[in-house]
Amino acid sequence: MTDKLSQSADKVLDHYTLFRQPEYAAMFEKKKTEFEYGHSDEEVARVSEWTKSEDYKAKNFAREAVVINPTKACQPIGAMFAAQGFEGTLPFVHGSQGCVAYYRTHLTRHFKEPNSAVSSSMTEDAAVFGGLNNMIDGLANAYALYKPKMIAVMTTCMAEVIGDDLQGFIANAKNKDSVPADFPVPYAHTPAFVGSHIVGYDNMIKGILTNFWGTSENFDTPKTEQINLIPGFDGFAVGNNRELKRIAGEFGVKLQILSDVSDNFDTPMDGEYRMYDGGTTIEETKEALHAKATLSMQEYNTTQTLQFCKEKGQQVAKFNYPMGVTATDELLLKLAELSGKPVPASLKLERGRLVDAIADSHTHMHGKRFAVYGDPDFCLGMTRFLLELGAEPVHILSTSGSKKWEKQVQKALDGSPFGASGAAHGGKDLWHLRSLIFTDKVDYIIGNSYGKYLERDTKIPLIRLTYPIFDRHHHHRYPTWGYQGALNVLVRILDRIFEDIDANTNIVGKTDYSFDLIR
Amino acid sequence: MSLSENTTVDVKNLVNEVLEAYPEKSRKRRAKHLNVLEAEAKDCGVKSNVKSIPGVMTIRGCAYAGSKGVVWGPIKDMIHISHGPVGCGYYSWSGRRNYYIGDTGVDSWGTMHFTSDFQEKDIVFGGDKKLHKVIEEINELFPLVNGISIQSECPIGLIGDDIEAVARAKSAEIGKPVIPVRCEGFRGVSQSLGHHIANDAIRDWVFEKTEPKAGFVSTPYDVTIIGDYNIGGDAWSSRILLEEIGLRVIAQWSGDGTLAELENTPKAKVNLIHCYRSMNYIARHMEEKFNIPWMEYNFFGPSQIAESLRKIAALFDDKIKENAEKVIARYQPMVDAVIAKYKPRLNGKKVMIYVGGLRPRHVVDAYHDLGMEIIGTGYEFAHNDDYQRTPHYVKEGTLIYDDVTAFELEKFVEAMRPDLVASGIKEKYVFQKMGLPFRQMHSWDYSGPYHGYDGFAIFARDMDLAINNPVWGVMKAPF
């Protein structure tokens, strides 16, 4: 023990550097050798190498039961996200209370914003007798304390397993004056053991629309010129929804976003805490029944909702997280077709600027190999954009991806020579992706923060372009949709490529001849 | 100095005003959880460890969070299966920064998420068969795993699965401990029961079924660290002090811990407990069964660290006692420099705390060391014994809130306007929007460690950077 301490008031060392000091290094070594009874370094190294092999990959892909590092969450968080896009709406999650703490935490860590939702806090007695009393008291408390304009009810798996009936419970609670009889309490059953967060999103949007539009089929509902748009579960919703509204403004189209979290998840810091902000109003939601059409930005987030819209006599169109030139073209052409208005010159100008940027940078994208993972729609949108950039999507993976989705991805790949080495992996997880990347290398990974472990293991740079992004700040404030959004995505990818090139050409006198000033 | 002397807020009246918003039934229930600390009080005068009221936005978690998220998750050389639907493990994946050293995916699995990903058919037909398969696949793909725990999610207990039978069968088959944990989220009233259940699972499935490692040689100086989850490296900056005074830390529970360390713990001469709330159960059990005494200590802030080091040393011989004095003296100049630098910037600043475990009381003196004052504190999932331990730390007039609701905390903070709120991620942005400096005191706001002398310097720096950041000055627009 020397008298010199590593820590000092002048230069405070925290975990980034403190534990690299010699006294800690010695302590770690001692703990390991004397107390941990772990495996030998040689054995660890041997197994580590084996996990990178074809043999391991075969065993890994033979898995039938265990799921390791999936790219999906459970239904209620998607339902909660959907509900939070409506004005003054408090999500009420019926079931165990810990779930709500988890959803709020997860969304807060991504958006760096408060996230409000309540639980009916069911415990063992409710497991035996059902959660009716929790619903009755819970709605009364939530209504009194948080003064919502609407309470949207969804379920945890606990309530689903014991079979609580939301419709009956809510009616019962209204009879007991928990909330006024005419107070909107839409609901959705959101079992965590069916689908994932994107199905929960679909269920909740449908639940809210059903509440205001009624359940019955009515193909003859009178129509206006309005077009509805459902964004889906989107980590970039703050930037994207605002971009969509801007585009609609340029167009002169009356576009109604159903579930718009852009203000609720991006409140200012000015001394006032807004528990609710912005969102689709109840009046707008009611009025949306009469829209001539409803567009979905994410097909797999809206399967049932779009069917429901059809039954109300609306035209529907679905997209798969449209990113890039062609996908944006398709969106705008659909808006033009539905509205009867031409695509405005201002947007055509934006398109030209995007194409110009792509041309300027195409040498750096051409032939670069990518792994892409995330929700099914995101993967489709990203794959198409990469193909358009002359990049090669190689491994496209989504734990929520179905056989149908795999075919859609394959179709996109088949449509371009740059898709020749690509394959879709539905129902697989990030541990599968680790094997894929080790056995069939790529240049870059596109995904979310969870991909940083893949980056560490494979040394392949990660580009964070989908939810959740916990370890980088504020990207969700910038759009990824529209021509402007595509430009943002392009720049993010290019920045990573350039940083990567610089990091690999910076050894003085060895590799720095390529450490170029001009690229 | 009581609160009423230095603030214009009538706290008792504030509590009543805030309660006014509740429907009557809930108002009566919540009133029992709020109090203003009286002089010479033996406890905080609040009810605790009872069910949260539905619909109020409690900040609490569940038993699964207490077991998988807190106690078991950090054991690095085991794989912990989130058994049930996909969500619980997904949301708690890498959420707690329980630092460890290891080759993740090869001999350690702390930042990975393993789940049986229940589908409807598993609910209908039961998940035991799937669990068998999950364990087989894990053992094949991760041959260096030293043990497996089954962390039950809500449906497991509701559909009548027999995970204990699966655990026994698979443990015999793979020759490694397989530990079933009945920590379904609906059990109990908070994460606290999950801690207890997790402790009991170690008792029944580790202590009862395994032995200390052959060849383990005891010394008279063997101690353990119990109830330190190594968030941001806390257990490390604690361990180093214990080693410096001449003790041998044979196990860490559970941050950066291993199964072998759990197995060897009955060899300890004394168990040192930091988070009493989450691990007193196993310490009490070891006292009863193995005659191992246990002692609570507090490594937040130099006053408590010195006191704790002396208390710990007092259990050993003169050499250790001398060493403790030497260690305290060795760090004193650094501590003095930290206080000299930061106290002038923090002196007299008022803090409101709302967290879980031990921190609503344990961090208080670290703030006092910097000249700061605590005007409110409360626990997410405390029991009565926590509230009995609290008056030792806080002053008469301190507002006490148990299982506070988002509504109450917001109103209390709004009225009392502390200079710093010390709470969790769900609270952080609410109070920042109000213009109040905030530090997450579960995760150290991604900083740390905060334990030990090395941690205190970081703690002081972090409180300063939160309170004295220029952003608060530009909050109001000049137009």
Side-chain angles (χ1 to χ4, degrees):
Chain A
M1 171 164 72
T2 69
D3 268 352
K4 178 92 176 77
L5 297 177
S6 299
Q7 189 62 289
S8 77
D10 291 337
K11 190 171 186 300
V12 174
L13 305 183
D14 58 23
H15 58 86
Y16 298 114
T17 42
L18 179 66
F19 299 127
R20 298 180 194 184
Q21 306 308 309
E23 67 273 27
Y24 280 101
M27 185 183 89
F28 295 151
E29 188 55 32
K30 195 167 160 229
K31 179 177 186 292
K32 182 181 165 188
T33 51
E34 288 186 33
F35 303 110
E36 293 188 352
Y37 292 82
H39 304 276
S40 71
D41 290 348
E42 297 71 36
E43 181 67 350
V44 172
R46 185 190 65 78
V47 173
S48 176
E49 277 313 305
W50 174 61
T51 67
K52 302 169 188 172
S53 67
E54 285 286 355
D55 174 54
Y56 190 87
K57 180 184 155 194
K59 287 191 164 62
N60 194 8
F61 272 74
R63 259 193 285 147
E64 290 170 356
V66 68
V67 171
I68 308 167
N69 299 353
T71 72
K72 65 172 184 181
C74 65
Q75 280 209 46
I77 196 174
M80 207 163 106
F81 182 103
Q84 285 167 334
F86 291 85
E87 188 195 29
T89 298
L90 183 65
F92 182 105
V93 188
H94 183 57
S96 301
Q97 72 190 13
C99 314
V100 182
Y102 276 145
Y103 316 146
R104 294 178 61 208
T105 297
H106 213 261
L107 290 163
T108 283
R109 284 175 173 162
H110 172 85
F111 289 102
K112 317 291 180 203
E113 287 288 318
N115 191 286
S116 300
V118 298
S119 163
S120 65
S121 295
M122 285 165 66
T123 54
E124 277 154 312
D125 53 345
V128 178
F129 301 110
L132 175 60
N133 287 332
N134 298 66
M135 178 72 77
I136 292 170
D137 291 346
L139 285 179
N141 286 327
Y143 181 75
L145 293 184
Y146 298 111
K147 307 201 174 352
K149 292 192 168 140
M150 170 158 90
I151 295 177
V153 180
M154 58 220 75
T155 47
T156 76
C157 56
M158 179 215 184
E160 287 300 322
V161 171
I162 66 172
D164 277 5
D165 163 28
L166 290 183
Q167 188 179 19
F169 281 18
I170 292 164
N172 234 310
K174 284 189 168 182
N175 284 337
K176 301 254 182 195
D177 294 326
S178 295
V179 296
D182 60 351
F183 182 80
V185 187
Y187 65 90
H189 286 275
T190 50
F193 44 82
V194 175
S196 70
H197 57 289
I198 56 177
V199 174
Y201 183 98
D202 191 13
N203 281 330
M204 193 74 245
I205 297 282
K206 189 184 168 201
I208 290 171
L209 296 183
T210 305
N211 184 81
F212 295 108
W213 294 4
T215 48
S216 56
E217 275 184 16
N218 181 4
F219 292 98
D220 299 326
T221 310
K223 293 289 176 267
T224 65
E225 283 304 303
Q226 178 175 304
I227 297 166
N228 300 327
L229 184 146
I230 304 171
F233 189 99
D234 177 21
F236 285 77
V238 168
N240 278 341
N241 292 358
R242 288 177 183 163
E243 183 64 9
L244 290 171
K245 287 185 274 191
R246 189 186 68 84
I247 289 171
E250 296 291 314
F251 237 107
V253 174
K254 185 161 175 7
L255 186 77
Q256 179 59 55
I257 295 183
L258 297 177
S259 181
D260 180 6
V261 296
S262 61
D263 288 344
N264 208 16
F265 289 175
D266 187 26
T267 59
M269 194 192 110
D270 57 5
E272 181 202 345
Y273 161 54
R274 297 156 176 82
M275 184 167 161
Y276 314 102
D277 202 10
T280 312
T281 66
I282 288 171
E283 277 314 306
E284 286 166 348
T285 309
K286 287 178 184 166
E287 197 49 40
L289 170 63
H290 300 289
K292 69 190 321 186
T294 294
L295 309 183
S296 165
M297 296 295 273
Q298 301 194 64
E299 176 185 358
Y300 289 95
N301 286 241
T302 50
T303 320
Q304 297 173 72
T305 302
L306 281 195
Q307 180 58 33
F308 178 71
C309 292
K310 264 192 207 168
E311 288 163 11
K312 299 292 179 186
Q314 296 179 353
Q315 300 177 60
V316 297
K318 57 200 181 199
F319 298 88
N320 299 105
Y321 207 90
M323 277 193 289
V325 181
T326 316
T328 306
D329 290 348
E330 287 165 7
L331 176 67
L332 298 189
L333 286 170
K334 181 53 81 176
L335 283 174
E337 175 201 322
L338 288 168
S339 67
K341 295 180 177 181
V343 178
S346 59
L347 292 178
K348 198 171 173 191
L349 203 56
E350 284 178 26
R351 184 187 193 281
R353 289 170 183 150
L354 170 65
V355 173
D356 181 60
I358 293 171
D360 293 348
S361 311
H362 73 276
T363 50
H364 294 284
M365 295 297 306
H366 190 103
K368 292 284 191 306
R369 290 161 57 85
F370 284 79
V372 176
Y373 71 84
D375 285 349
D377 292 293
F378 171 78
C379 286
L380 276 162
M382 197 69 242
T383 299
R384 289 188 64 194
F385 190 21
L386 287 173
L387 291 170
E388 195 170 81
L389 293 168
E392 297 177 12
V394 178
H395 311 301
I396 302 107
L397 179 141
S398 178
T399 313
S400 301
S402 58
K403 290 278 168 238
K404 178 192 160 196
W405 170 82
E406 286 186 341
K407 279 186 194 145
Q408 275 175 295
V409 175
Q410 195 54 52
K411 197 175 160 210
L413 294 169
D414 291 344
S416 162
F418 294 93
S421 48
H425 302 276
K428 297 291 184 280
D429 55 43
L430 296 187
W431 197 253
H432 291 115
L433 187 55
R434 188 178 184 272
S435 279
L436 287 170
I437 294 173
F438 271 126
T439 53
D440 186 8
K441 288 258 185 304
V442 293
D443 299 304
Y444 299 95
I445 303 168
I446 291 179
N448 55 26
S449 287
Y450 293 122
K452 75 188 300 174
Y453 302 120
L454 289 172
E455 180 176 34
R456 175 197 57 196
D457 291 356
T458 64
K459 311 297 173 210
I460 308 293
L462 170 71
I463 302 159
R464 293 161 178 79
L465 282 168
T466 191
Y467 183 91
I469 301 175
F470 295 147
D471 60 341
R472 298 290 185 271
H473 291 191
H474 309 310
H475 291 295
H476 66 276
R477 299 173 198 265
Y478 297 90
T480 55
W481 290 341
Y483 300 124
Q484 295 292 347
L487 185 62
N488 287 333
V489 172
L490 175 69
V491 171
R492 301 258 328 262
I493 296 172
L494 284 169
D495 275 349
R496 198 71 184 85
I497 291 175
F498 291 132
E499 284 158 16
D500 188 40
I501 296 173
D502 282 346
N504 287 309
T505 56
N506 64 3
I507 303 171
V508 178
K510 295 259 187 225
T511 59
D512 68 345
Y513 43 82
S514 300
F515 193 68
D516 288 322
L517 181 66
I518 306 154
R519 298 200 195 280
Chain B
M1 185 170 50
S2 79
L3 187 72
S4 50
E5 286 169 30
N6 54 43
T7 170
T8 52
V9 180
D10 177 346
V11 184
K12 278 215 155 118
N13 199 36
L14 171 65
V15 169
N16 290 331
E17 273 175 37
V18 169
L19 284 168
E20 276 305 304
Y22 282 94
E24 195 187 346
K25 182 175 164 191
S26 300
R27 179 161 59 237
K28 282 188 183 153
R29 284 175 64 185
R30 281 306 305 158
K32 295 174 185 157
H33 297 265
L34 307 171
N35 193 29
V36 180
L37 192 69
E38 286 161 15
E40 319 274 317
K42 290 211 164 35
D43 65 25
C44 297
V46 293
K47 224 174 152 171
S48 60
N49 197 33
V50 295
K51 277 194 276 189
S52 302
I53 298 175
V56 297
M57 213 172 338
T58 173
I59 291 149
R60 283 174 168 177
C62 64
Y64 165 89
S67 177
K68 189 268 185 179
V70 175
V71 174
W72 278 105
I75 303 288
K76 64 182 176 181
D77 62 342
M78 294 177 66
I79 286 175
H80 310 288
I81 303 163
S82 293
H83 187 42
V86 69
C88 313
Y90 186 77
Y91 307 118
S92 57
W93 179 5
S94 280
R96 233 170 155 255
R97 288 202 314 129
N98 309 107
Y99 283 0
Y100 62 91
I101 290 173
D103 193 333
T104 301
V106 181
D107 72 351
S108 310
W109 294 271
T111 50
M112 291 174 64
H113 161 28
F114 293 83
T115 177
S116 46
D117 188 18
F118 263 34
Q119 301 300 303
E120 199 150 22
K121 64 178 191 307
D122 302 313
I123 300 287
V124 176
F125 300 111
D128 286 344
K129 260 173 99 171
K130 189 174 202 178
L131 183 58
H132 272 275
K133 190 103 184 118
V134 164
I135 293 169
E136 282 160 24
E137 289 174 357
I138 285 175
N139 199 47
E140 184 182 15
L141 289 170
F142 306 98
L144 301 186
V145 71
N146 286 335
I148 292 170
S149 82
I150 304 159
Q151 305 288 327
S152 302
E153 300 171 5
C154 286
I156 304 306
L158 298 171
I159 62 175
D161 275 10
D162 189 355
I163 59 169
E164 288 79 8
V166 178
R168 275 188 288 268
K170 292 326 265 191
S171 180
E173 211 175 291
I174 67 173
K176 296 171 185 176
V178 177
I179 296 157
V181 191
R182 287 286 184 176
C183 55
E184 289 90 342
F186 61 82
R187 294 193 197 278
V189 302
S190 68
Q191 48 271 64
S192 183
L193 189 63
H195 306 141
H196 197 153
I197 291 167
N199 277 230
D200 288 354
I202 299 174
R203 179 192 67 198
D204 297 342
W205 293 81
V206 179
F207 289 171
E208 291 294 317
K209 294 188 190 297
T210 67
E211 293 289 326
K213 291 286 177 191
F216 182 88
V217 182
S218 294
T219 77
Y221 303 109
D222 290 358
V223 299
T224 59
I225 292 177
I226 308 262
D228 190 323
Y229 303 103
N230 207 33
I231 291 166
D234 282 336
W236 293 334
S237 56
S238 302
R239 181 186 187 102
I240 204 160
L241 295 176
L242 296 173
E243 288 189 352
E244 275 185 61
I245 67 170
L247 300 177
R248 213 170 74 118
V249 180
I250 66 167
Q252 279 178 208
W253 288 54
S254 56
D256 193 36
T258 55
L259 182 61
E261 290 170 67
L262 298 186
E263 290 168 353
N264 286 334
T265 295
K267 294 276 190 185
K269 295 293 175 290
V270 55
N271 284 319
L272 301 175
I273 302 199
H274 208 245
C275 184
Y276 169 85
R277 179 70 277 131
S278 56
M279 283 197 176
N280 77 85
Y281 318 101
I282 200 72
R284 289 176 194 280
H285 169 73
M286 283 190 269
E287 183 177 42
E288 214 172 278
K289 172 121 197 223
F290 308 111
N291 244 329
I292 305 171
W294 55 276
M295 201 191 88
E296 287 176 71
Y297 69 106
N298 181 348
F299 271 5
F300 286 108
S303 307
Q304 285 294 333
I305 296 170
E307 195 180 317
S308 290
L309 285 174
R310 288 184 176 119
K311 264 170 60 187
I312 293 166
L315 302 171
F316 295 90
D317 56 28
D318 286 349
K319 185 168 160 284
I320 301 293
K321 288 175 200 152
E322 281 163 32
N323 286 348
E325 292 307 323
K326 277 186 207 156
V327 168
I328 293 165
R330 179 172 180 248
Y331 283 92
Q332 199 58 46
M334 188 268 282
V335 167
D336 291 343
V338 167
I339 291 173
K341 180 174 176 183
Y342 292 108
K343 193 168 176 179
R345 301 165 64 81
L346 297 169
N347 205 27
K349 300 288 186 194
K350 297 186 179 68
V351 187
M352 286 176 79
I353 303 171
Y354 182 71
V355 277
L358 73 163
R359 289 150 296 169
R361 61 177 180 276
H362 256 48
V363 298
V364 167
D365 279 347
Y367 284 109
H368 287 164
D369 287 334
L370 294 166
M372 300 168 79
E373 192 191 335
I374 308 302
I375 61 171
T377 191
Y379 297 80
E380 272 183 48
F381 48 82
H383 300 208
N384 199 28
D385 48 1
D386 293 295
Y387 285 107
Q388 284 165 353
R389 285 164 163 78
T390 307
H392 173 72
Y393 288 97
V394 292
K395 287 170 289 195
E396 175 192 355
T398 305
L399 176 60
I400 308 288
Y401 27 80
D402 177 71
D403 183 24
V404 79
T405 68
F407 176 82
E408 292 161 6
L409 190 58
E410 195 189 313
K411 295 293 170 201
F412 292 151
V413 168
E414 226 168 49
M416 295 171 75
R417 293 305 291 189
D419 299 292
L420 179 78
V421 181
S423 190
I425 183 64
K426 301 192 290 298
E427 294 72 62
K428 177 177 172 119
Y429 301 102
V430 171
F431 297 113
Q432 281 195 181
K433 303 278 180 191
M434 290 182 183
L436 287 164
F438 188 98
R439 286 299 294 183
Q440 289 184 62
M441 289 297 282
H442 299 260
S443 66
W444 311 149
D445 238 309
Y446 323 122
S447 173
Y450 281 178
H451 292 177
Y453 286 115
D454 286 342
F456 176 66
I458 304 163
F459 172 81
R461 178 201 66 183
D462 289 354
M463 297 310 131
D464 174 52
L465 69 81
I467 290 177
N468 294 310
N469 192 281
V471 70
W472 315 116
V474 295
M475 185 178 72
K476 287 288 174 201
F479 42 83

